[in-house]
Amino acid sequence: MKVLKILTCILILIFVSEVWSHVEIEAEDYFFPLEPVINFCKMADQCQHDFVPICGQDSLGISRMFNDNCDLYEYNCDEKKQYRHVKIDVCRYEAAAMERA
């Protein structure tokens, strides 16, 4: 009986691994690992602009300035991006580095 259960588990694991190896992940469906997908479009619809500039950064380390949080949400929604609010110093540092270059 135990042998039958072990064989069944092994067969299930083999089947799962075969199916998983054929699953393709679209680039736009893959965001930050281990983070839930955020509905930026819904957040943008419910947001009230306060026009306090913020710095945003994506998973690749690319940063840019936004007019406010709502602007960041709208950009993420429209462009299918995943920018996050980070310290303003990140954008200031990059702007200073661009001026020196």
Side-chain angles (χ1 to χ4, degrees):
M1 190 63 155
K2 287 184 181 183
V3 173
L4 184 59
K5 285 183 181 182
I6 292 172
L7 287 175
T8 303
C9 289
I10 291 172
L11 287 174
I12 290 172
L13 288 174
I14 291 170
F15 177 74
V16 168
S17 67
E18 286 294 317
V19 170
W20 186 255
S21 68
H22 290 89
V23 173
E24 293 183 16
I25 299 176
E26 297 287 331
E28 64 188 35
D29 294 336
Y30 182 75
F31 301 111
F32 291 92
L34 305 177
E35 290 190 19
V37 175
I38 297 172
N39 187 341
F40 286 108
C41 296
K42 184 177 181 181
M43 292 173 71
D45 288 341
Q46 299 172 351
C47 192
Q48 296 292 320
H49 289 276
D50 59 10
F51 300 102
V52 176
I54 65 164
C55 180
Q57 189 174 50
D58 69 1
S59 63
L60 300 175
I62 299 169
S63 61
R64 58 170 288 170
M65 290 295 295
F66 293 93
N67 292 331
D68 56 21
N69 274 321
C70 299
D71 189 36
L72 180 140
Y73 301 151
E74 289 168 358
Y75 182 81
N76 284 340
C77 175
D78 295 341
E79 301 297 324
K80 307 281 190 277
K81 300 287 184 180
Q82 289 284 313
Y83 278 86
R84 301 282 205 253
H85 184 178
V86 294
K87 292 181 181 179
I88 198 83
D89 295 340
V90 173
C91 288
R92 287 186 185 142
Y93 173 78
E94 287 193 8
M98 296 282 271
E99 288 174 5
R100 286 186 293 234

